[in-house]
Amino acid sequence: MCPRGARLIAGEGGLLGSARLVCHCLLVEGAEGLVLVDTGFGLADTRNPRQLGIPFTTVVRPRADSAETAISQIRELGFEPRDVRNIVTTHLDLDHAGGLPDFPDAEVHLLGSELDAAMHPGWRERPRYVAAHWAHGPRWARHEAGGDEWFGFESVRILPGSDAEILLIPLRGHTLGHTGVAIKRADRWLLHCGDAYFHRGEVETPAHCPAGLRAFQALNQVDGEARRQNSERLRELAHQHADEVELICSHDARTLDRFLEAGADQM
Ligand SMILES: [Zn+2]
């Protein structure tokens, strides 16, 4: 996504230059198939960006490049789209759920509160969800918040029979049912925070974020108090458990670049 105002959004570049925001998805290879965490934009979005809404495409300026979709990149890795048995979504905003129709057989895991919010949005929330993204009738797997505890956060384990240890970490605020996704790796956890924060500086100590990006988040939040509290808790988690947990968010391009340079195996 290439919105105008690079300096205000990314903290670097010209005032009128284009910022670069990414949709950072994860692919987890487990014994029972692939798990895709978030789906970004899908093929249909790249063919018909207008389904995302004129205000969104005008301001956020997504690049309609089919090679960047999850399905294209998964094929590039040598897998078939049907190998993706499970999808986990941080939330159903149009820039996270666009790829759902590209994997019609996958079971889609999310918090029940997000599914309810997306299926029955109020007028204010309507533009953020695109019904075409679930017109194929996904197999939803609703999960309810609560249950276990993970570094002081509520957590819900999904795919309990799987060798991949994947937890939903509810992080309400950006949307009603927004959740982080924690994935156990060999010796550390990777926490995909979705849109709980937008800029890597927000979970550094002291926290910092470019002004334009801060304003954008405030405009797009459903519960500002909850969002700010969760962002602060994530900063504390990153600070106190740096050796056990690594945090990423959806839209920070520098973070994605760092992982790509290190290579997927080092992730
Ligand atoms: Zn987003």
Side-chain angles (χ1 to χ4, degrees), residues 91 95-96 195 251:
H91 61 306
D95 53 329
H96 299 258
D195 285 357
H251 299 310

Side-chain angles (χ1 to χ4, degrees), residues 1 23 91 93 95-96 174 194-195 198 250-251:
M1 296 176 283
C23 299
H91 61 306
D93 272 2
D95 53 329
H96 299 258
H174 178 69
D195 285 357
F198 272 49
S250 290
H251 299 310

